């Protein structure tokens, strides 16, 4: 006969992911003394974004001297209230500019959380900033009534090759 076994899960954690701690530990162990440099550059990168984008988008969770940690959280709720353009519209529009959409609505609903790691070059950060400022200018065109609230490049993003090479009715 076959005996019933009661070991429980073999390859799963009952209350989350068992891989979380080993991944963090391995990263710290492999980085060694370079961990401090990497951390400093990641924080510098996030603050560069916060500084360059702060006039166009409100930045959440900045400290007494206006600095952020390793992430820059942009609050899109005031823009959504004024224009109907949401964090999801901005995230999808970034795809048209060649960027993977950042974290949406976490840890705060209605926001974009950008975490530029130490591996991002200044040129790439500048390319992202330029895209976000262009998108802010597009939102301004909706806000001013120049573009209709429901029919604009933000509401239809991302655009496929067929969209941009076919008959444009937007």
């Amino acid at each position: 006969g076959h005996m019933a076994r009661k070991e429980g899960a073999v390859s799963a954690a009952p209350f989350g992911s068992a891989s979380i701690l080993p991944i963090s530990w391995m990263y710290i162990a492999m980085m060694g003394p370079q961990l401090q440099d990497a951390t400093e550059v990641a924080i510098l990168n996030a603050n560069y974004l916060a500084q360059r984008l702060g006039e166009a988008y409100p930045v959440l969770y900045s400290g007494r001297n206006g600095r952020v940690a390793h992430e820059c959280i942009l609050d899109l709720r005031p823009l959504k209230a004024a224009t109907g353009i949401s964090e999801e519209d901005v995230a999808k529009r970034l795809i048209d500019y060649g960027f993977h959409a950042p974290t949406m609505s976490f840890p705060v609903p209605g926001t974009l959380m950008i975490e530029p790691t130490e591996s991002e070059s200044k040129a790439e950060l500048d390319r992202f900033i330029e895209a976000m400022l262009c998108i802010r200018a597009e939102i301004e065109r909706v806000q001013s009534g120049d573009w209709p609230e429901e029919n604009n490049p933000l509401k239809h993003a991302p655009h496929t090759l067929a969209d941009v090479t076919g008959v444009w009715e937007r």
Side-chain angles (χ1 to χ4, degrees):
H2 185 211
M3 232 172 87
R5 303 175 76 145
K6 290 190 166 55
E7 283 88 8
V10 172
S11 63
F15 304 109
S17 173
S19 65
I20 293 295
L21 292 175
I23 289 170
S24 307
W25 183 82
M26 281 304 301
Y27 175 75
I28 292 165
M30 290 188 296
M31 287 295 283
Q34 290 175 307
L35 183 63
Q36 184 172 346
D37 290 340
T39 303
E40 287 171 1
V41 173
I43 291 170
L44 184 66
N45 284 351
N47 278 284
Y48 179 61
L49 285 187
Q51 192 67 40
R52 292 285 313 276
L53 294 174
E55 282 184 39
Y57 302 92
V59 175
L60 297 185
Y61 302 128
S62 55
R64 282 190 309 278
N65 45 15
R67 299 286 177 250
V68 295
H70 69 286
E71 59 196 30
C72 172
I73 301 175
L74 304 179
D75 191 358
L76 276 88
R77 293 170 297 185
L79 285 172
K80 186 175 182 180
T83 64
I85 301 297
S86 71
E87 71 285 0
E88 187 175 345
D89 297 324
V90 174
K92 287 180 175 180
R93 186 66 174 136
L94 274 169
I95 297 168
D96 288 337
Y97 285 86
F99 292 97
H100 188 285
T103 303
M104 274 190 328
S105 295
F106 179 86
V108 182
T111 63
L112 292 178
M113 177 172 68
I114 301 123
E115 302 182 87
T117 66
E118 69 282 358
S119 61
E120 297 296 346
S121 67
K122 182 171 181 298
E124 188 66 0
L125 294 176
D126 285 337
R127 200 172 72 83
F128 179 79
I129 288 162
E130 187 61 29
M132 288 298 291
L133 294 176
C134 287
I135 290 169
R136 183 63 185 89
E138 292 173 353
I139 295 170
E140 192 58 44
R141 293 187 73 176
V142 175
Q143 203 161 1
S144 70
D146 191 17
W147 285 349
E149 211 171 289
E150 285 307 316
N151 187 18
N152 59 66
L154 292 142
K155 284 292 181 192
H156 293 297
H159 296 84
T160 65
L161 185 62
D163 289 335
V164 294
T165 58
V167 177
W168 190 260
E169 293 171 346
R170 296 179 174 182

